[in-house]
Amino acid sequence: MTIFLGTDDVKALLRQHGIGEILEKMVDYLEEDFRRWSDFDKCARIASHSPDGVIELMPVADQSQYSFKYVNGHPKNGERGLPTVAAFGMLADVDTGCPVFLSEMTVITALRTAATSAMVAKYLARKDAKVMAVIGLGAQSEFQSLAFQCILGVEKLRIYDADPRMAAKFMNNLAGHGFEIEPCDTAEIATLGADIITTVTADKRNATVLSDNMVGAGVHLNAVGGDCPGKTELAKDILNRAEVFTEFTPQTRIEGELQQMPEDFPVTEMWQVLTGAHPGRRNDREITLFDSVGFAVEDFSALRLMRDLAIGSGLCRSIDLIAAPDDPRDLFGYATADSLMTA
């Protein structure tokens, strides 16, 4: 039998533990897996692109567990009353190939993306960073903000979205969470005085959400929205001024801000920072840029955490996802037993 965690179960876990505690635990799981990066069999995600979006499969494995996530990204879905991102994922036992855990991953992806952003900023942002600009106030924005509050102690948010309704949604959702929130009329105004800038826009296009003059010395950039071919958010000149950090560089060169740069443009993978092979931020005036596209190891970490939380909570249930005949060689007998089949 396979353990199943549905959407209502995930919501119950969030109520039981609190979103802050889950984000903190997820950072712990992520750090553990990034520090053993070489243990994983890795590849860039498998993507099927269409004019309005993308459907992706994200697999990864270590010596004991295999995971994958199915995920889509369709920015126009909001106009149809559908989520722009929807996902589910699975953990399987490598020794037997049997699926052991199946879970919704739409909410979990938002949690793991935010936790990854905050984990990276923990090593790259200035230690005194307390003000964050959030450009793009869609489905990911509140999760990102809470992760930076929990992990880095961010206190003030300067926010902007091209749709004014999103600011009201954002402020309503985060009311009572202890932030000072300042809505801004433009992205350029939002970045003024920000120690950290998070870009998390949804449009699938080569955009210039941040121009070079909007990024000052000492800023940490958390570029989340550029996550597929043909979709970027930052002016090319910003990358030339910054120290750029990635998850899995072969994938980021296809999907991230690195699409704009030559193949030999130098970057550092975050596992190198977590293992001490690279110092991360070198001084308070350096511009650091996390070119975030999301990688399968992060889903692996998130699935491990949610499985462990689910087992401890009693919320999960078992489902008969795969056939399990008493005699594995007699699948036909198993399939037809007690059936109404006739000759």
Side-chain angles (χ1 to χ4, degrees):
M1 301 294 278
T2 304
I3 296 172
F4 175 67
L5 192 71
T7 54
D8 286 343
D9 303 318
V10 171
K11 290 163 67 176
L13 283 174
L14 285 171
R15 290 192 298 270
Q16 186 179 107
H17 292 271
I19 189 169
E21 179 182 326
I22 288 181
L23 286 166
E24 290 173 357
K25 289 180 181 294
M26 197 166 290
V27 168
D28 292 339
Y29 276 60
L30 286 163
E31 289 183 330
E32 178 183 337
D33 287 335
F34 269 71
R35 289 192 176 106
R36 61 186 192 94
W37 195 255
S38 61
D39 292 347
F40 290 96
D41 182 11
K42 302 175 289 292
C43 68
R45 54 182 150 217
I46 303 160
S48 175
H49 294 278
S50 64
D52 290 335
V54 61
I55 296 174
E56 300 169 332
L57 191 66
M58 300 173 65
V60 74
D62 64 9
Q63 292 185 339
S64 62
Q65 295 177 102
Y66 169 95
S67 80
F68 76 82
K69 182 175 75 177
Y70 167 97
V71 61
N72 79 305
H74 286 72
K76 293 182 180 179
N77 273 5
E79 302 168 8
R80 305 166 181 162
L82 298 171
T84 58
V85 175
F88 68 89
M90 188 191 75
L91 279 175
D93 180 75
V94 166
D95 288 340
T96 64
C98 293
V100 296
F101 181 61
L102 177 68
S103 178
E104 90 81 38
M105 286 199 74
T106 307
V107 175
I108 294 172
T109 293
L111 289 164
R112 76 87 158 124
T113 303
T116 301
S117 293
M119 177 198 73
V120 170
K122 176 180 170 182
Y123 293 90
L124 299 184
R126 298 194 326 269
K127 299 304 180 186
D128 63 348
K130 299 300 178 186
V131 180
M132 181 165 77
V134 184
I135 315 299
L137 303 176
Q140 179 66 218
S141 58
E142 294 93 346
F143 294 94
Q144 290 280 330
S145 300
L146 287 170
F148 276 81
Q149 181 188 58
C150 293
I151 306 304
L152 279 83
V154 163
E155 300 169 351
K156 181 175 181 178
L157 302 173
R158 296 175 59 82
I159 63 172
Y160 170 75
D161 193 284
D163 183 349
R165 296 172 298 176
M166 292 296 98
K169 180 269 299 184
F170 180 91
M171 294 179 71
N172 180 65
N173 283 339
L174 292 186
H177 283 278
F179 287 111
E180 178 186 350
I181 304 177
E182 182 177 351
C184 299
D185 292 333
T186 67
E188 186 169 9
I189 293 172
T191 61
L192 293 175
D195 308 309
I196 299 166
I197 303 173
T198 290
T199 57
V200 60
T201 59
D203 286 346
K204 186 181 177 182
R205 61 190 179 93
N206 289 316
T208 305
V209 176
L210 293 185
S211 56
D212 188 32
N213 66 315
M214 295 165 65
V215 180
V219 167
H220 172 63
L221 296 169
N222 178 39
V224 181
D227 58 0
C228 67
K231 183 182 178 187
T232 56
E233 296 179 312
L234 308 186
K236 180 178 179 179
D237 288 344
I238 296 174
L239 279 77
N240 284 319
R241 294 169 56 212
E243 183 79 12
V244 179
F245 297 82
T246 65
E247 296 140 308
F248 183 61
T249 303
Q251 179 174 293
T252 310
R253 292 197 187 277
I254 297 169
E255 302 180 349
E257 299 299 327
L258 288 183
Q259 294 175 67
Q260 307 177 68
M261 311 308 288
E263 187 66 26
D264 59 352
F265 183 80
V267 300
T268 302
E269 293 190 335
M270 276 307 300
W271 68 267
Q272 297 172 279
V273 178
L274 269 77
T275 58
H278 187 283
R281 173 175 287 275
R282 292 185 173 91
N283 59 69
D284 284 350
R285 292 192 57 79
E286 184 176 46
I287 297 170
T288 53
L289 165 59
F290 177 39
D291 192 357
S292 169
V293 297
F295 186 61
V297 169
E298 296 153 27
D299 300 317
F300 183 96
S301 304
L303 284 164
R304 289 199 304 114
L305 170 63
M306 301 309 287
R307 176 201 59 195
D308 293 348
L309 291 176
I311 291 172
S313 71
L315 286 170
C316 57
R317 54 194 180 275
S318 296
I319 58 173
D320 55 345
L321 183 64
I322 58 172
D326 293 334
D327 182 355
R329 298 166 297 178
D330 188 15
L331 183 61
F332 183 85
Y334 168 84
T336 58
D338 299 323
S339 75
L340 297 178
M341 290 181 63
T342 58

